[in-house]
Amino acid sequence: MRYAEMGYHLEVDVATGNIEKVETDPKLTELYLGGLGSSVKLHWDRVPPEVKPFDDENMLIFSGGLLCGTPAFSANRTVVTFISPQSELLAYPMMGGFWSAELKHAGYDKIIFNNKSPELIYLWVKDDKVEIRDARHLAGKGALEVQDLIRDELNEPNAQVAAIGQAGESRCFTASIEQGRSSASRLGGGAIMGDKKIKAVAVRGTGDVHLADGAKFFELMEEVKDYINFRNTNPIPDVMTILSGIGSPQEMVHTDEKWHTESFAWGNARNRRKSFWTEDIEKSWTSTQIGAIKRLISCYNCPQHCGALIDAPDVPRYMMKCFSKLTYGMAAYVDNLDFSFNIVQKAQEYGVDGFSTPQILAFAVELKENGILTDKDFEGCPPDEDKEGRFMWLLDRLAHREGIGDIIADGTYWAAKRIGNGAEEYAHNNIKKHEQLPIKLGMLDPLYYLMYTTNEKISITQIEGNWPQAAFPKMEQRERFVEDWPQLPDDKFKQWLLDWEPRGEKSNPHFPTPPICSEIVDWMEMLHNIDDALGLCAGMASFCLKPPYHINNYHKLVSAATGMDVDQEELKRKVNRSRNLHRALNNRRGMSRKDEKPPKDHWRHRFPELEEELLTTYYTYKGWNHDGIPTRERLHELDLDYVADDLEQRGILINGEGQEDHQEHQG
């Protein structure tokens, strides 16, 4: 019997209609756990680096994590992997909700889609019954509407449905995959579904997920539950509201948005409004939010309530994802929170990424304001003073790829190249061709420099977390914070936090030092990779301060669930193996040090020599060469000699090193 995992994948060739239930090798779990880890291995083995995003061979994998469907609190993430049309690298956006648990109860760990369908279809999975169904009648329907239509059509009210809207069908590069109150949003998974003509994937499962040692697992869950209860009644002092608790930022719970609205940039990620949060705004926004929320809601088996059912005036009810509450209004420079609740409903029906899309719309507005786009490009658009109407109009055009929308639907990086005439200067907030959070700050932050530049997610929200975002101003605050910190991998981290000051020699950009930064970033990155393999919500683990899941209890959960004898060091080794394989996969697709650059205007004060030192130090710590490519020695340590062989055959590694390192040694 297989424990925690189901031991089967579904292989679906949508071109031929062939469906196979494939038993998987238990060794895959031993080496890579599950979720993202084993999906990366499948992409390495089966998708050559020559494959382009919209080629038939671009494989699309929906994967539940190793602990999804078990009694583990908040183990509900579905990882969707594909070659991104935006970055042209391996993407892995995740969604919460109930879909991954339903897949596990149906008896599968992953669904693997190959090739392209000649007509629009959806997949229906109910335990051993799996069928491809005609979806032509769903063409052009909204992603939220389709979920209800499919449930009604199947007479399965409890089926979980992941669907695309018009943006996915139009192959917009930032099209999302929507599912309940959650979505796999970043880097264009919806576009890949649309290209393969997959409108939705519906799942209903009635089987069991077995645990190797149920008694031990529930004992560990009691400890986790006790800590969750403790944190819910004892929020962390001295940090902003959004970081004081646990959960996947609880934007629906909190109404205090002073920090976000005054710290993040507005419009096309340009300017901060440092005195925005007035008493009038606080009163108005609080009233609007409380009035719009019908009730707070959770994902599968989660005690927190990070989402909400929205019942706003003049829009159908829908379930709002957390941070989109702010992104559209801030990008449009609209101070009325009602606008956010209205446009987000439309955006989720279209199925678009709630971080990238608002910036893209603001980018188009900025180009028009600077004469790069013309009145002809905006023909039919409401007047400039109607900021809300203008954003709604642009969103419609983007989702349908009509007029200027056909260009901006590719994202700011690609759109700027098509537009020309200086537009590239306005596509200023990208890393690896992908829009980042709209943040513009003063002094270079060395930790965030490394997090932004080096992680494979290409999104800061999937690398930051357990380390505070800024130094505490007073020593007594630091001492209070480190006093109770069982999540640390080593007590030396406490001293680093105690030494870290907001000003002076022990402050940004010179402290933490490059070696210390390397250890802190590696620790946080490792936590995210564990979560993504296990299917745990980062809001209960890697993304928040002092979470219930951490490096000192993950391995115990894995051992009790699977029956594998996994200690902390072995768990680190497993996720380092998948992390380095993922890195090599993207290296094989052309990514290297030249691409590891945050936006030029992200920090006002930059230190080029220090930034290069940070990268070099971090690469060395990771066992990578000067180009950011894992060395043969590092790959050998992780049983990845076949990867080193491949990289050497392709000339990416030379004698186990990068080209620049090899030339230095030859010199």
Side-chain angles (χ1 to χ4, degrees):
M1 179 180 289
R2 305 281 278 269
Y3 295 107
E5 64 175 345
M6 307 314 295
Y8 291 94
H9 297 172
L10 273 178
E11 293 268 359
V12 182
D13 187 329
V14 294
T16 64
N18 186 57
I19 300 171
E20 294 184 39
K21 181 179 180 180
V22 179
E23 186 173 5
T24 57
D25 185 350
K27 189 70 174 176
L28 192 67
T29 307
E30 292 177 21
L31 291 172
Y32 300 100
L33 297 175
L36 175 64
S38 49
S39 289
V40 169
K41 171 62 172 167
L42 289 167
H43 280 279
W44 173 274
D45 288 345
R46 295 170 55 176
V47 183
E50 298 79 21
V51 170
K52 303 299 182 185
F54 293 127
D55 287 350
D56 287 11
E57 297 81 5
N58 188 8
M59 194 163 61
L60 176 69
I61 303 179
F62 285 71
S63 179
L66 185 61
L67 296 184
C68 290
T70 75
F73 295 118
S74 309
N76 49 46
R77 260 39 192 176
T78 303
V79 183
V80 186
T81 47
F82 51 91
I83 301 302
S84 164
Q86 195 172 30
S87 69
E88 301 179 322
L89 304 172
L90 183 67
Y92 61 105
M94 285 164 283
M95 57 189 179
F98 292 73
W99 197 94
S100 64
E102 207 69 49
L103 181 68
K104 294 286 284 287
H105 287 295
Y108 311 100
D109 299 304
K110 302 180 191 291
I111 301 177
I112 303 171
F113 290 101
N114 296 294
N115 298 317
K116 299 181 185 182
S117 171
E119 301 289 350
L120 196 65
I121 57 96
Y122 72 88
L123 187 74
W124 167 228
V125 180
K126 184 173 183 181
D127 299 326
D128 286 332
K129 178 184 177 182
V130 184
E131 59 179 329
I132 294 174
R133 297 175 64 100
D134 190 343
R136 285 176 290 180
H137 61 297
L138 301 174
K141 301 289 187 183
L144 307 182
E145 180 186 7
V146 161
Q147 296 173 45
D148 289 332
L149 289 173
I150 287 177
R151 290 190 191 99
D152 291 343
E153 182 174 303
L154 297 170
N155 194 26
E156 290 282 356
N158 293 318
Q160 297 302 311
V161 184
I164 60 171
Q166 182 61 55
E169 290 184 49
S170 301
R171 302 198 315 178
C172 298
F173 284 14
T174 59
S176 59
I177 302 167
E178 301 288 329
Q179 181 251 320
R181 65 154 293 261
S182 302
S183 67
S185 291
R186 313 227 71 189
L187 289 165
I192 302 304
M193 277 186 72
D195 184 57
K196 293 183 179 297
K197 294 192 182 301
I198 304 167
K199 183 66 175 178
V201 188
V203 183
R204 179 76 176 112
T206 60
D208 295 324
V209 180
H210 299 284
L211 299 173
D213 188 342
K216 180 62 176 176
F217 195 86
F218 275 94
E219 179 184 318
L220 292 166
M221 281 300 102
E222 281 296 313
E223 295 175 7
V224 170
K225 183 182 73 174
D226 289 345
Y227 189 82
I228 291 171
N229 291 336
F230 168 76
R231 281 294 310 279
N232 282 336
T233 54
N234 295 273
I236 297 173
D238 306 319
V239 298
M240 65 281 293
T241 303
I242 198 66
L243 296 180
S244 63
I246 49 178
S248 183
Q250 294 181 298
E251 296 290 318
M252 298 293 101
V253 177
H254 300 301
T255 58
D256 178 3
E257 292 294 356
K258 176 178 174 62
W259 185 73
H260 278 137
T261 57
E262 295 187 347
S263 298
F264 283 21
W266 290 61
N268 184 21
R270 290 286 185 185
N271 303 306
R272 293 166 62 184
R273 299 174 71 182
K274 297 183 181 180
S275 56
F276 172 78
W277 195 252
T278 63
E279 287 186 15
D280 287 344
I281 288 290
E282 181 176 15
K283 182 178 179 180
S284 169
W285 280 34
T286 300
S287 174
T288 298
Q289 180 171 328
I290 292 173
I293 292 176
K294 185 70 174 178
R295 69 172 183 271
L296 296 170
I297 53 178
S298 304
C299 294
Y300 176 84
N301 198 27
C302 182
Q304 303 302 92
H305 35 76
C306 304
L309 177 62
I310 302 301
D311 188 10
D314 303 320
V315 297
R317 286 187 180 181
Y318 70 100
M319 291 179 279
M320 179 179 259
K321 298 169 288 188
C322 61
F323 202 67
S324 52
K325 179 184 81 176
L326 297 178
T327 53
Y328 286 92
M330 291 178 68
Y333 269 103
V334 172
D335 296 355
N336 178 7
L337 191 60
D338 284 310
F339 168 68
S340 295
F341 288 111
N342 289 335
I343 195 170
V344 168
Q345 190 276 335
K346 175 180 279 194
Q348 290 185 199
E349 283 285 21
Y350 280 147
V352 288
D353 173 12
F355 278 117
S356 289
T357 307
Q359 287 186 56
I360 294 167
L361 305 183
F363 162 78
V365 169
E366 193 172 51
L367 291 185
K368 183 175 184 294
E369 290 173 346
N370 287 274
I372 296 173
L373 293 178
T374 67
D375 289 340
K376 184 177 180 181
D377 295 311
F378 279 69
E379 187 175 354
C381 181
D384 293 350
E385 56 268 23
D386 182 3
K387 297 177 182 178
E388 298 183 16
R390 183 171 60 183
F391 247 54
M392 289 284 196
W393 183 87
L394 281 167
L395 177 60
D396 290 340
R397 297 302 176 279
L398 179 147
H400 290 89
R401 278 193 177 271
E402 294 177 351
I404 189 61
D406 184 45
I407 297 176
I408 63 174
D410 291 348
T412 59
Y413 174 87
W414 296 108
K417 285 187 172 299
R418 287 180 65 184
I419 294 168
N421 195 28
E424 291 186 34
E425 287 299 313
Y426 296 86
H428 65 103
N429 199 39
N430 298 321
I431 299 176
K432 298 167 188 168
K433 307 166 187 170
H434 178 48
E435 294 82 13
Q436 298 300 303
L437 286 182
I439 301 176
K440 303 297 167 188
L441 301 171
M443 182 63 69
L444 174 80
D445 184 323
L447 286 167
Y448 275 78
Y449 177 85
L450 284 180
M451 288 189 285
Y452 266 108
T453 55
T454 63
N455 83 90
E456 306 305 328
K457 179 71 174 183
I458 321 177
S459 174
I460 191 62
T461 54
Q462 291 299 324
I463 188 63
E464 65 180 342
N466 282 193
W467 185 263
Q469 292 188 0
F472 293 103
K474 298 178 181 179
M475 178 57 76
E476 52 264 36
Q477 293 173 318
R478 295 173 226 161
E479 291 173 342
R480 182 162 55 235
F481 190 89
V482 304
E483 186 176 315
D484 179 28
W485 205 359
Q487 294 85 356
L488 286 177
D490 192 299
D491 275 353
K492 64 186 176 184
F493 285 72
K494 292 182 179 180
Q495 190 59 52
W496 294 339
L497 188 70
L498 291 172
D499 292 341
W500 192 25
E501 298 175 347
R503 295 176 185 81
E505 294 181 0
K506 289 294 184 72
S507 68
N508 293 347
H510 303 295
F511 194 87
T513 64
I516 295 174
C517 284
S518 297
E519 287 205 51
I520 294 172
V521 171
D522 180 70
W523 164 49
M524 289 196 287
E525 177 192 80
M526 176 177 59
L527 299 178
H528 282 281
N529 276 272
I530 294 171
D531 286 349
D532 298 344
L534 302 184
L536 287 170
C537 171
M540 282 291 195
S542 52
F543 185 68
C544 60
L545 299 172
K546 299 187 176 181
Y549 295 116
H550 48 81
I551 195 60
N552 296 314
N553 66 9
Y554 281 127
H555 63 286
K556 298 175 184 178
L557 293 166
V558 172
S559 295
T562 65
M564 295 188 295
D565 185 13
V566 181
D567 61 16
Q568 189 175 126
E569 290 306 310
E570 179 57 25
L571 180 63
K572 292 177 182 178
R573 179 176 169 79
K574 291 180 191 299
V575 295
N576 271 324
R577 181 179 293 118
S578 62
R579 171 69 176 99
N580 279 269
L581 182 62
H582 194 161
R583 184 72 176 189
L585 188 155
N586 281 339
N587 292 146
R588 196 166 68 164
R589 297 191 63 84
M591 191 195 77
S592 67
R593 187 185 187 116
K594 69 182 185 306
D595 303 297
E596 311 251 69
K597 297 177 181 178
K600 289 188 294 186
D601 60 349
H602 188 86
W603 295 284
R604 188 165 60 252
H605 301 293
R606 299 291 291 268
F607 300 82
E609 290 184 5
L610 175 60
E611 292 172 18
E612 291 302 311
E613 182 185 357
L614 281 163
L615 269 185
T616 298
T617 304
Y618 184 68
Y619 287 172
T620 301
Y621 182 83
K622 296 290 285 186
W624 301 345
N625 64 30
H626 182 86
D627 296 317
I629 301 164
T631 62
R632 172 172 282 281
E633 181 181 4
R634 181 61 171 145
L635 293 169
H636 175 73
E637 293 169 355
L638 297 170
D639 308 310
L640 295 173
D641 294 277
Y642 67 92
V643 175
D645 293 342
D646 183 275
L647 295 180
E648 286 190 349
Q649 289 169 10
R650 296 176 183 275
I652 297 169
L653 283 177
I654 299 176
N655 294 331
E657 303 172 332
Q659 294 183 17
E660 186 167 337
D661 300 82
H662 178 73
Q663 290 168 1
E664 287 180 2
H665 289 171
Q666 290 297 307

